[in-house]
Amino acid sequence: MNTFFYRLLCISLLMIANLHIVPNALAAAPIQFEILAERSHKPGLFTQGLLVDGDHFYESSGLYNQSLLVSYPIAEPASQWAKISAPFTKKQVVPARFFAEGLALLGNKLYLLTWQEQTLLVYDKNTLNYQTSISYKGEGWGLASNGKQLIRSDGSDTLYFHNPDTFAVIKVLKVTHGGIPVTQLNELEFAQGFIWANIWYEDRIIKIDPQTGTVEGELNLGSLKQKLTLNNSEQVLNGIAWDEKQHAFWVTGKNWPKMFLVRVSD
Ligand SMILES: [Ca+2]
């Protein structure tokens, strides 16, 4: 074998070896769950952030020229929600130049990330009136609150903990499973002392230790799609909201016609 072909062989073997290192393909311990309920979800919402406060959902919907911040009751009769035209309790149009992303609540303020505009928009929870904006570096994907800080994802394996007043980064956490980075972290929720994250373009929600960044388990929600008629590949699982009253998560997806109440086993 001449040197050229030997090198070619080595490069090929290395490429094959690398193809087997697909971080997100490594499944974590499965978390058992049961679906307690389902309800309608406006399919016009390109869900980016979802949370529950009291008896209402708060949801952000993305895309340029179409981004919205809305609230609507959890327990509204299904007959009314079956109507696509049913009004929101409150609705705020996000300026056209912003692509709305993750949404979190802390105190009486709603914090809304924007995808590439490096601008955090702050709204009053009760009125959805715009209050102020704060600039930051990097992309905005998911956002959650642990009661003291705001936690942001940017599509990588990194979570950023921000001071809610200044949005300065105060802690950086790398998320790993078996020592391997877990990337594409998207919509977030903080519940029961853990960070829960949608993996973008997958049917999985992972449970992350907020101290170490290790993945403690995962929910595989692929079975929910069997209950839906989806028309395009962008209609991915996205949206996790902890419902304290029900002690369960509401989950949905981008342009999904339904939301599901999912209780996970301890
Ligand atoms: Ca959420």
Side-chain angles (χ1 to χ4, degrees), residues 49-51 103 143-144 187-189 239-241:
L50 182 71
L51 62 92
L103 181 70
L143 197 68
E187 223 277 278
L188 302 174
E189 189 74 6
I240 327 165

PDB file of all heavy atoms in Angstrom, residues 49-51 103 143-144 187-189 239-241, ligand 1:
ATOM      1  N   GLY A  49     -42.117  29.615  23.668  1.00  0.00           N
ATOM      2  CA  GLY A  49     -42.066  29.528  25.124  1.00  0.00           C
ATOM      3  C   GLY A  49     -43.464  29.265  25.655  1.00  0.00           C
ATOM      4  O   GLY A  49     -44.455  29.759  25.092  1.00  0.00           O
ATOM      5  N   LEU A  50     -43.542  28.455  26.712  1.00  0.00           N
ATOM      6  CA  LEU A  50     -44.847  28.131  27.302  1.00  0.00           C
ATOM      7  C   LEU A  50     -44.667  28.043  28.809  1.00  0.00           C
ATOM      8  O   LEU A  50     -43.703  27.437  29.282  1.00  0.00           O
ATOM      9  CB  LEU A  50     -45.342  26.791  26.745  1.00  0.00           C
ATOM     10  CG  LEU A  50     -46.726  26.326  27.221  1.00  0.00           C
ATOM     11  CD1 LEU A  50     -47.829  27.199  26.611  1.00  0.00           C
ATOM     12  CD2 LEU A  50     -46.970  24.863  26.827  1.00  0.00           C
ATOM     13  N   LEU A  51     -45.604  28.668  29.544  1.00  0.00           N
ATOM     14  CA  LEU A  51     -45.570  28.536  30.999  1.00  0.00           C
ATOM     15  C   LEU A  51     -46.985  28.678  31.547  1.00  0.00           C
ATOM     16  O   LEU A  51     -47.889  29.161  30.855  1.00  0.00           O
ATOM     17  CB  LEU A  51     -44.620  29.569  31.627  1.00  0.00           C
ATOM     18  CG  LEU A  51     -44.936  31.058  31.440  1.00  0.00           C
ATOM     19  CD1 LEU A  51     -45.788  31.593  32.584  1.00  0.00           C
ATOM     20  CD2 LEU A  51     -43.633  31.852  31.386  1.00  0.00           C
ATOM     21  N   LEU A 103     -39.771  32.188  26.803  1.00  0.00           N
ATOM     22  CA  LEU A 103     -40.542  33.070  27.680  1.00  0.00           C
ATOM     23  C   LEU A 103     -40.442  32.559  29.122  1.00  0.00           C
ATOM     24  O   LEU A 103     -40.576  31.357  29.357  1.00  0.00           O
ATOM     25  CB  LEU A 103     -42.005  33.064  27.234  1.00  0.00           C
ATOM     26  CG  LEU A 103     -42.988  33.939  28.002  1.00  0.00           C
ATOM     27  CD1 LEU A 103     -42.729  35.415  27.720  1.00  0.00           C
ATOM     28  CD2 LEU A 103     -44.425  33.578  27.625  1.00  0.00           C
ATOM     29  N   LEU A 143     -36.052  29.863  27.598  1.00  0.00           N
ATOM     30  CA  LEU A 143     -35.871  30.648  28.817  1.00  0.00           C
ATOM     31  C   LEU A 143     -36.750  30.062  29.924  1.00  0.00           C
ATOM     32  O   LEU A 143     -37.880  29.640  29.674  1.00  0.00           O
ATOM     33  CB  LEU A 143     -36.237  32.114  28.562  1.00  0.00           C
ATOM     34  CG  LEU A 143     -35.736  33.140  29.589  1.00  0.00           C
ATOM     35  CD1 LEU A 143     -34.214  33.256  29.533  1.00  0.00           C
ATOM     36  CD2 LEU A 143     -36.348  34.512  29.340  1.00  0.00           C
ATOM     37  N   ALA A 144     -36.197  30.025  31.132  1.00  0.00           N
ATOM     38  CA  ALA A 144     -36.955  29.558  32.299  1.00  0.00           C
ATOM     39  C   ALA A 144     -36.465  30.327  33.510  1.00  0.00           C
ATOM     40  O   ALA A 144     -35.396  30.938  33.478  1.00  0.00           O
ATOM     41  CB  ALA A 144     -36.758  28.056  32.513  1.00  0.00           C
ATOM     42  N   GLU A 187     -36.554  24.791  24.269  1.00  0.00           N
ATOM     43  CA  GLU A 187     -37.494  25.293  25.292  1.00  0.00           C
ATOM     44  C   GLU A 187     -37.157  24.709  26.659  1.00  0.00           C
ATOM     45  O   GLU A 187     -36.830  23.529  26.776  1.00  0.00           O
ATOM     46  CB  GLU A 187     -38.925  24.907  24.909  1.00  0.00           C
ATOM     47  CG  GLU A 187     -39.940  26.021  25.110  1.00  0.00           C
ATOM     48  CD  GLU A 187     -40.467  26.167  26.534  1.00  0.00           C
ATOM     49  OE1 GLU A 187     -41.379  25.448  26.921  1.00  0.00           O
ATOM     50  OE2 GLU A 187     -39.959  27.061  27.251  1.00  0.00           O
ATOM     51  N   LEU A 188     -37.260  25.548  27.689  1.00  0.00           N
ATOM     52  CA  LEU A 188     -36.867  25.148  29.039  1.00  0.00           C
ATOM     53  C   LEU A 188     -38.015  25.305  30.022  1.00  0.00           C
ATOM     54  O   LEU A 188     -38.939  26.087  29.806  1.00  0.00           O
ATOM     55  CB  LEU A 188     -35.709  26.032  29.521  1.00  0.00           C
ATOM     56  CG  LEU A 188     -34.425  26.051  28.694  1.00  0.00           C
ATOM     57  CD1 LEU A 188     -33.470  27.093  29.260  1.00  0.00           C
ATOM     58  CD2 LEU A 188     -33.770  24.678  28.656  1.00  0.00           C
ATOM     59  N   GLU A 189     -37.890  24.559  31.108  1.00  0.00           N
ATOM     60  CA  GLU A 189     -38.794  24.720  32.236  1.00  0.00           C
ATOM     61  C   GLU A 189     -38.020  24.342  33.495  1.00  0.00           C
ATOM     62  O   GLU A 189     -37.186  23.431  33.452  1.00  0.00           O
ATOM     63  CB  GLU A 189     -40.025  23.819  32.055  1.00  0.00           C
ATOM     64  CG  GLU A 189     -41.133  24.047  33.055  1.00  0.00           C
ATOM     65  CD  GLU A 189     -41.938  25.333  32.822  1.00  0.00           C
ATOM     66  OE1 GLU A 189     -41.713  26.021  31.806  1.00  0.00           O
ATOM     67  OE2 GLU A 189     -42.781  25.652  33.668  1.00  0.00           O
ATOM     68  N   GLY A 239     -42.351  23.293  23.907  1.00  0.00           N
ATOM     69  CA  GLY A 239     -43.319  23.879  24.843  1.00  0.00           C
ATOM     70  C   GLY A 239     -43.472  22.967  26.041  1.00  0.00           C
ATOM     71  O   GLY A 239     -44.019  21.872  25.920  1.00  0.00           O
ATOM     72  N   ILE A 240     -42.946  23.420  27.173  1.00  0.00           N
ATOM     73  CA  ILE A 240     -43.071  22.673  28.432  1.00  0.00           C
ATOM     74  C   ILE A 240     -43.478  23.674  29.499  1.00  0.00           C
ATOM     75  O   ILE A 240     -42.800  24.683  29.688  1.00  0.00           O
ATOM     76  CB  ILE A 240     -41.739  22.059  28.936  1.00  0.00           C
ATOM     77  CG1 ILE A 240     -40.826  21.642  27.801  1.00  0.00           C
ATOM     78  CG2 ILE A 240     -41.993  20.920  29.909  1.00  0.00           C
ATOM     79  CD1 ILE A 240     -39.402  21.383  28.277  1.00  0.00           C
ATOM     80  N   ALA A 241     -44.568  23.389  30.190  1.00  0.00           N
ATOM     81  CA  ALA A 241     -45.029  24.282  31.249  1.00  0.00           C
ATOM     82  C   ALA A 241     -45.413  23.461  32.469  1.00  0.00           C
ATOM     83  O   ALA A 241     -46.225  22.535  32.354  1.00  0.00           O
ATOM     84  CB  ALA A 241     -46.223  25.106  30.761  1.00  0.00           C
TER      85      ALA A 241
HETATM   86 CA    CA B   1     -41.374  26.697  29.495  1.00  0.00          CA
END
